[in-house]
Amino acid sequence: MDRITQTIYQAMSYRLRAIEKYATKAESIQAEQLNRLIGRFNRTRYGEQFALPECAGYTEWQRQVPIVAYEDIRKHVEEMTRGQENELVPGSCLRFAVSSGTSGGRSKYIPVNSLHLNKCHFRGASDTLWLYLSTRPDSRFFRTKGLVLGGSQKPVALTSKVRVGDLSSILVEKMPLLGNLSRVPKRSTLQMTEWNSKIEAIIHEVKDANVGSLSGVPSWMLVLIKRLLEATGKETLSEIWPNLEVFFHGGISFAPYREEYRRLIPSNRMQYRETYNASEGFFGIQDDPSDPALLLMLDYGVFYEFIPLDSLDKGNLEAIPLQAVETGKTYAMLISTLGGLYRYMIGDTVRFTSTNPYKIIIAGRTSAYINAFGEELMVFNTDKAIEVVAKECGALVKEYTAAPCFLPQQGKGRHEWVVEFSVQPDNLAYFAQRLDEELRKLNSDYDAKRYDDMTLLPLKLHVADTGLFERYLSDTSRLGGQIKIPRLRNDRTIVDKLLSYGCTTEISPNKIAQGEIPPLRD
């Protein structure tokens, strides 16, 4: 490390010692978080209705406080946005993160009060850096700038004091001094709302900067990188930023983008670290570059509970605490936070790879899977299959989504995929065939339904024209650096809309079986 990076890192070594205790004191750390939360919970209008004793433990918490989704607390959040104090948190909350809309189409406003912002979101960002530096003795992090690419929803006023915007804009607005000093582009550029103009402004600011780190969603960072290369006439990002050493990414799986990043950043020093930072809180950090699992962060004022996914599918909402989870099982995650969410179903599913310390992989969303025929196909299955097959076929996948297709006359169904490639495989029919085969290897339920075409027929692949997914996001007013199209849906809403544009080429199952490749349009 250079001297300034080493000095700052050593000053923060106490945080690494605290994180080391996760492996031996997880249960007591989580008990401390719950005790603190109960004390605050009882001082709110929401908490008063449950008459929870101050000395309550997990048993009382589980028995008396209900598991909720956003619609269950919407009226309380709306009171907070009008300035009502002591509703979900003691005192007031002046910032709300706009999250994706509910099934009713209305946006969700997630409370982000100052305490939660500092103890969870900003602590997560700083811990990401300290854990990274603990494995990078050659880092020159503080000798360079960090490029941050966030969303495009600048905080707007609801009242004279209350503002709403996407989480990244709130983080930029409230970012501590150290983060501001090391970040590019400037705040006003990051808060621009028109996406294409924002990208051009960022390129103008950063093309001559000494950038050493990137932070953002992989898909949208890739858009920025490619436009930057076009603007500078360079072949790789390493030519523009030779000191680039790390990309802190999150929001979607990195697997489908890995090979493209390696091609565009051919540097032996480059590392990629995943984080789990949602509007509702910061939950996980990849602490080991050789292990894709995320360390579950236990002392951020967040208390975790989990519902086995097979129980959730049956309508059973009985949750278990962290110490009761098992490796290899998929769980829906519940959180209780200093931001005023209590036993809140965040909508994410996770699988534990370790319980000493607790490490997770993000399996998908409780709504982002396909189980129309009993196949229980999860996003982590499809991401892995895409990564394996794309590498084998020399392809690069930019975006994809899939949904069930019902064939009532045959009493069967299939999955229908829409895939946009950065680099197409030479043989699209073979790609589709291998994708189906790899899914069968990765998911035994999918394989069982595919056996002898009894329930599921071979998948159907639609190759999207370049820019189709961006067009969809633009038409639905969702274009921006934090927006993601769901990889899987159990309904056809997104797939049917994409196909309605007429911008895809179908690779039908009968062509796959015959090994034929239909011609693509010019």
Side-chain angles (χ1 to χ4, degrees):
M1 293 183 190
D2 65 272
R3 183 171 297 179
I4 186 171
T5 302
Q6 178 73 27
T7 300
I8 295 173
Y9 169 64
Q10 288 180 340
M12 298 304 298
S13 60
Y14 74 93
R15 269 305 296 162
L16 292 175
R17 292 194 295 271
I19 292 171
E20 287 173 359
K21 295 178 182 178
Y22 288 5
T24 57
K25 297 186 177 182
E27 187 173 346
S28 62
I29 293 172
Q30 276 288 278
E32 290 172 6
Q33 311 311 303
L34 180 59
N35 289 340
R36 185 178 189 187
L37 285 163
I38 289 174
R40 292 176 58 80
F41 175 81
N42 285 339
R43 290 155 51 201
T44 66
R45 297 174 188 271
Y46 178 74
E48 285 174 357
Q49 63 185 306
F50 301 109
L52 197 67
E54 287 290 336
C55 60
Y58 180 65
T59 300
E60 292 88 355
W61 177 257
Q62 184 184 46
R63 184 175 59 246
Q64 294 181 226
V65 181
I67 293 172
V68 298
Y70 186 77
E71 288 305 314
D72 299 313
I73 61 169
R74 180 185 285 277
K75 64 179 181 180
H76 299 284
V77 176
E78 290 177 347
E79 286 296 315
M80 294 172 73
T81 63
R82 290 190 282 268
Q84 176 68 56
E85 294 188 351
N86 304 319
E87 192 68 31
L88 289 173
V89 296
S92 61
C93 180
L94 304 181
R95 295 294 179 269
F96 295 81
V98 179
S99 190
S100 56
T102 63
S103 58
R106 294 191 291 171
S107 293
K108 296 187 290 186
Y109 291 163
I110 305 299
V112 187
N113 60 329
S114 296
L115 182 64
H116 183 53
L117 188 66
N118 290 311
K119 296 298 183 182
C120 186
H121 288 290
F122 285 135
R123 174 171 283 186
S126 60
D127 282 350
T128 300
L129 177 55
W130 313 136
L131 287 167
Y132 165 70
L133 291 178
S134 71
T135 65
R136 282 305 297 263
D138 62 335
S139 176
R140 298 188 291 272
F141 189 90
F142 287 105
R143 286 292 184 187
T144 60
K145 295 290 187 179
L147 192 159
V148 176
L149 181 62
S152 300
Q153 201 150 1
K154 182 179 179 180
V156 296
L158 289 182
T159 70
S160 59
K161 294 182 179 180
V162 176
R163 294 176 179 270
V164 299
D166 58 34
L167 176 67
S168 64
S169 66
I170 296 172
L171 296 178
V172 167
E173 180 190 29
K174 299 293 186 179
M175 188 172 289
L177 178 61
L178 186 60
N180 272 320
L181 291 175
S182 61
R183 185 202 70 222
V184 289
K186 59 189 177 183
R187 178 182 298 177
S188 59
T189 302
L190 282 173
Q191 292 183 332
M192 291 176 65
T193 56
E194 203 289 308
W195 179 249
N196 289 310
S197 299
K198 176 178 179 175
I199 288 289
E200 295 307 312
I202 291 174
I203 289 171
H204 177 73
E205 282 190 49
V206 305
K207 63 181 180 179
D208 296 318
N210 181 20
V211 172
S213 65
L214 308 174
S215 299
V217 176
S219 55
W220 292 109
M221 186 63 74
L222 199 56
V223 171
L224 173 62
I225 289 172
K226 290 189 173 182
R227 293 197 188 178
L228 176 62
L229 293 174
E230 290 175 6
T232 58
K234 302 297 185 181
E235 293 291 326
T236 71
L237 203 59
S238 300
E239 297 175 67
I240 302 173
W241 297 324
N243 293 318
L244 189 62
E245 63 179 63
V246 64
F247 177 23
F248 300 115
H249 59 86
I252 58 176
S253 170
F254 190 62
Y257 305 95
R258 194 180 310 279
E259 292 304 315
E260 182 73 337
Y261 272 90
R262 285 174 176 168
R263 183 179 71 84
L264 295 176
I265 312 174
S267 168
N268 292 330
R269 295 190 69 245
M270 189 66 184
Q271 288 194 10
Y272 301 89
R273 299 295 183 93
E274 185 174 1
T275 62
Y276 182 6
N277 188 20
S279 298
E280 295 85 353
F282 202 121
F283 309 121
I285 299 170
Q286 184 182 1
D287 62 329
D288 181 350
S290 65
D291 181 1
L294 307 178
L295 182 67
L296 191 67
M297 308 310 290
L298 303 181
D299 59 352
Y300 286 10
V302 178
F303 182 74
Y304 300 100
E305 296 174 84
F306 303 88
I307 302 174
L309 191 59
D310 54 359
S311 297
L312 185 65
D313 285 340
K314 298 173 184 176
N316 182 356
L317 294 185
E318 186 173 348
I320 59 175
L322 182 62
Q323 62 266 27
V325 301
E326 300 176 37
T327 58
K329 288 190 175 183
T330 302
Y331 297 93
M333 191 163 80
L334 305 180
I335 56 168
S336 299
T337 75
L338 295 172
L341 303 178
Y342 307 104
R343 308 203 79 201
Y344 181 84
M345 190 176 295
I346 191 173
D348 289 339
T349 60
V350 300
R351 286 168 68 91
F352 283 85
T353 64
S354 168
T355 56
N356 185 28
Y358 288 94
K359 285 193 169 188
I360 60 172
I361 59 171
I362 302 169
R365 299 281 293 173
T366 52
S367 60
Y369 63 93
I370 303 178
N371 194 30
F373 311 99
E375 64 274 50
E376 297 188 10
L377 192 68
M378 306 293 293
V379 172
F380 74 95
N381 298 143
T382 57
D383 279 341
K384 183 62 177 178
I386 283 282
E387 181 182 22
V388 169
V389 177
K391 186 174 183 179
E392 176 186 324
C393 296
L396 294 172
V397 173
K398 183 179 180 182
E399 296 287 355
Y400 78 85
T401 191
C405 176
F406 299 92
L407 305 169
Q409 291 183 343
Q410 301 179 48
K412 299 180 180 182
R414 62 163 49 97
H415 291 177
E416 205 158 2
W417 287 64
V418 180
V419 179
E420 183 177 333
F421 293 95
S422 297
V423 177
Q424 286 192 9
D426 292 333
N427 188 327
L428 289 162
Y430 179 74
F431 179 93
Q433 178 182 327
R434 283 289 299 116
L435 180 58
D436 187 66
E437 292 171 350
E438 198 63 30
L439 290 171
R440 295 185 69 169
K441 290 181 183 178
L442 292 168
N443 186 305
S444 59
D445 291 311
Y446 181 84
D447 181 55
K449 303 307 180 290
R450 282 283 295 112
Y451 177 74
D452 202 24
D453 293 350
M454 283 186 176
T455 302
L456 276 179
L457 298 176
L459 65 86
K460 181 182 287 186
L461 174 66
H462 297 270
V463 180
D465 287 358
T466 300
L468 176 61
F469 282 77
E470 285 189 38
R471 176 179 172 184
Y472 168 81
L473 290 172
S474 179
D475 287 352
T476 54
S477 301
R478 302 182 72 224
L479 197 63
Q482 287 193 313
I483 304 299
K484 298 89 65 178
I485 289 181
R487 298 303 199 193
L488 303 178
R489 282 287 294 265
N490 215 34
D491 62 70
R492 295 185 54 83
T493 305
I494 294 174
V495 162
D496 282 344
K497 180 63 175 178
L498 290 169
L499 295 179
S500 73
Y501 289 114
C503 299
T504 61
T505 299
E506 179 182 318
I507 312 299
S508 63
N510 64 310
K511 297 294 185 182
I512 294 172
Q514 298 166 19
E516 299 178 20
I517 313 169
L520 295 177
R521 294 185 302 277
D522 293 333

